[in-house]
Amino acid sequence: MSGPASIGSDIDRVQRVVGELRAHGVDALLVSAPVSLRYLLSFTGDHGVALLAAEGSRAGGAHRFLTDFRYQTQSAEQVPADCV
């Protein structure tokens, strides 16, 4: 499911992962498997990479999502704003 109804749950999932990163002393997590990107961010494209950072995620916007030009519109619609 994507769109406005799922954005709250996507942010919750990302924040849970960030909490686990902090709890285990891990600085960041690189996610590239399409199934994991779909679960965490609701991104349904075939190619993308998300970098989830344990520190500064809210204030500095440390999370990043990268994909190629083919998915620019799709990622803008599906990926939560604090991960772009």
Side-chain angles (χ1 to χ4, degrees):
M1 172 184 256
S2 64
S6 68
I7 290 178
S9 61
D10 296 340
I11 293 170
D12 292 341
R13 288 182 188 132
V14 169
Q15 290 308 312
R16 283 195 314 251
V17 170
V18 167
E20 289 296 318
L21 294 175
R22 290 179 182 150
H24 290 82
V26 177
D27 294 330
L29 177 68
L30 187 65
V31 180
S32 61
V35 69
S36 298
L37 291 172
R38 184 172 182 133
Y39 174 75
L40 284 172
L41 305 174
S42 294
F43 178 67
T44 60
D46 293 330
H47 300 286
V49 176
L51 178 66
L52 304 180
E55 297 300 323
S57 60
R58 286 288 181 189
H63 301 319
R64 293 288 178 251
F65 178 79
L66 303 167
T67 191
D68 63 62
F69 69 94
R70 298 173 295 166
Y71 300 102
Q72 183 176 5
T73 302
Q74 181 179 355
S75 64
E77 293 172 356
Q78 293 178 342
V79 176
D82 68 341
C83 293
V84 179

